[in-house]
Amino acid sequence: MVVSRKHQIDVLCVISENEYKRVCTDYGFDWVMTENTPVGRKINYGFSQSLKYDYDYLMVMNSDSVIDSKLIDQYYKPFFESLNPFFGINRITYVNFLTKQARDFTYEFSVLGVGKCIHRSVVEKLPKPYPERNRGLDDGMMDTLIHAGYWPTIVPYEGQLAWDFKSEVNIHPWREFENRGKEVCYSRA
């Protein structure tokens, strides 16, 4: 994640392997350790642990995703200012980690995990919003929030500002995305 000096961003990593303790320490990130699967339980643990911090918004990031600070500074700014309870993006550029092939894809009715923002008041009411499984997590979490009365706001943006890097070892490997959406040139300005 590209950190902008315009915002205070505290990073809490939810890790499952001892080797990442040093990486977190080297970058000055706080971390908590828990089992890796089911992934939904792991994310819920991070949500509940985040409540030890003083923040306005929890932004969900995945270990294989990156966002450009322009997404926060330009596109998310009005949503932060209006105290929108739940917002994020529905368009992502999937990038093959090895070949740099890229596909731009828009989901019709879903807010993606990467860059998803949830106001603290919502996290306090629903500290475990994810289903305890490995797949279908973003839609499952969105269903939980909708049932609690928090409808997502999809934030449109221009250009490539969010990337999800894939290989064949991901839960959702590159082969699931290589023919989706539109082929684009991987761009990291």
Side-chain angles (χ1 to χ4, degrees), residues 4-126:
S4 168
R5 298 271 182 230
K6 296 177 185 178
H7 307 279
Q8 177 181 335
I9 299 176
D10 297 317
V11 178
L12 174 63
C13 298
V14 183
I15 61 174
S16 302
E17 295 87 17
N18 284 321
E19 64 208 60
Y20 292 109
K21 290 178 184 177
R22 181 168 177 235
V23 174
C24 291
T25 301
D26 288 351
Y27 283 96
F29 298 158
D30 290 345
W31 56 269
V32 293
M33 179 78 99
T34 190
E35 293 179 20
N36 196 45
T37 57
V39 177
R41 182 182 305 151
K42 180 180 181 178
I43 298 170
N44 284 338
Y45 184 70
F47 265 63
S48 64
Q49 293 299 300
S50 79
L51 291 169
K52 295 178 181 178
Y53 295 79
D54 182 29
Y55 61 87
D56 296 319
Y57 281 92
L58 175 67
M59 178 184 285
V60 178
M61 292 295 295
N62 303 323
S63 60
D64 55 1
S65 300
V66 177
I67 61 171
D68 190 292
S69 61
K70 186 177 179 181
L71 186 66
I72 299 169
D73 297 340
Q74 183 176 336
Y75 294 97
Y76 280 10
K77 184 178 178 185
F79 298 93
F80 289 137
E81 290 172 349
S82 69
L83 302 179
N84 187 298
F86 174 33
F87 62 91
I89 58 175
N90 69 339
R91 186 170 65 81
I92 189 93
T93 303
Y94 289 108
V95 180
N96 183 314
F97 185 78
L98 298 173
T99 67
K100 303 301 185 248
Q101 291 173 278
R103 308 289 299 189
D104 202 58
F105 189 76
T106 301
Y107 289 83
E108 292 296 321
F109 303 107
S110 188
V111 172
L112 298 173
V114 58
K116 181 186 308 179
C117 291
I118 303 155
H119 193 269
R120 182 187 179 92
S121 62
V122 177
V123 178
E124 288 171 346
K125 291 176 187 169
L126 299 166

